[in-house]
Amino acid sequence: NTSNFSSLWYSLKPTIAKVRGYAVAGGSDIALSCDIVIMGENAKIGYPPARVWGIPTTMMWITRVGAEWAKRMLFTGQLITGKKAESIGLISECCPEAELDARVDALAQYVAAVPKNQLAMSKMVVNNAIDLQGLPQSQMLATIFDGIARHSPEGVAFKKRSEEVGFHVAVKERDSGKPIFPEAAKKFHRFEDSARRKSNL
């Protein structure tokens, strides 16, 4: 998936995401992999699976908003509105939803008037700077951690809970703010402690 998302980022053509409604989890990966993002004021964006069972493999959060906001978004998994996203620099613009189509169309037409080679060079030089800051390495690590998150004690417990009560109920429980499957972690650590004691015999 990361290479598919990143094709938006590394395409020589400028890409613009128009977000209305929800850009959640993989939807946020798609939006944030575009060069420019314009959201409706009340549209929402975020990565709730960061609470359990996922890590955003594109890792565009750190690239766009810096360490503190990236950590806050991933530590909480909360969704924020287009207004908030604009205020923290995650996106370049938000507007009333009724104006969204016209705003994006106007920007796209303005950008399209620039010679293709000029656009490609501008995009490549900016992307090169981001790559030198470590984006490819962060994406590789995030992809590994995304797989681990699905097989952690809490990730396995979340999958099992989803099968028992349905995904929507499990997600609502996950996002409630209450501890997420603390017993699963305790069982794992008890197993770990037991294995460590046996290895020391």
Side-chain angles (χ1 to χ4, degrees):
N1 279 352
T2 308
S3 61
N4 292 331
F5 295 142
S6 294
S7 66
L8 295 164
W9 182 256
Y10 289 108
S11 164
L12 294 181
K13 295 180 180 179
T15 54
I16 302 173
K18 175 171 62 179
V19 180
R20 56 165 48 91
Y22 289 82
V24 176
S28 68
D29 282 319
I30 293 171
L32 298 181
S33 292
C34 291
D35 301 311
I36 298 170
V37 184
I38 301 179
M39 293 178 64
E41 288 177 337
N42 297 316
K44 292 190 176 179
I45 190 168
Y47 202 92
R51 292 185 62 77
V52 73
W53 216 57
I55 296 289
T57 59
T58 57
M59 205 39 65
M60 298 306 289
W61 297 92
I62 181 65
T63 298
R64 287 179 172 272
V65 293
E68 182 161 345
W69 267 106
K71 288 177 180 178
R72 179 167 175 164
M73 293 301 295
L74 298 184
F75 289 170
T76 64
Q78 291 176 329
L79 304 181
I80 57 174
T81 63
K83 261 186 183 176
K84 184 66 176 179
E86 181 185 44
S87 74
I88 65 173
L90 181 67
I91 65 169
S92 62
E93 184 181 352
C94 76
C95 63
E97 188 169 331
E99 299 173 15
L100 188 59
D101 289 338
R103 292 279 189 98
V104 173
D105 288 348
L107 176 62
Q109 288 174 22
Y110 198 77
V111 170
V114 177
K116 291 179 182 178
N117 57 8
Q118 190 72 31
L119 293 172
M121 289 187 290
S122 294
K123 182 165 179 173
M124 288 170 71
V125 75
V126 172
N127 283 4
N128 182 65
I130 299 298
D131 283 351
L132 290 174
Q133 292 171 15
L135 178 61
Q137 291 79 11
S138 295
Q139 290 179 333
M140 181 176 66
L141 189 61
T143 300
I144 293 168
F145 284 170
D146 188 48
I148 292 173
R150 282 163 169 65
H151 297 89
S152 69
E154 296 86 352
V156 171
F158 175 73
K159 180 176 181 292
K160 184 179 178 183
R161 181 65 175 161
S162 298
E163 291 167 350
E164 291 171 349
V165 300
F167 186 69
H168 292 292
V169 173
V171 164
K172 189 173 182 180
E173 293 173 352
R174 177 196 69 191
D175 297 344
S176 68
K178 296 177 181 177
I180 299 171
F181 305 113
E183 288 305 313
K186 286 178 184 176
K187 287 178 184 177
F188 176 75
H189 292 307
R190 280 199 295 269
F191 168 78
E192 231 184 6
D193 292 341
S194 173
R196 195 175 293 116
R197 281 195 298 271
K198 286 179 182 177
S199 68
N200 291 331
L201 292 177

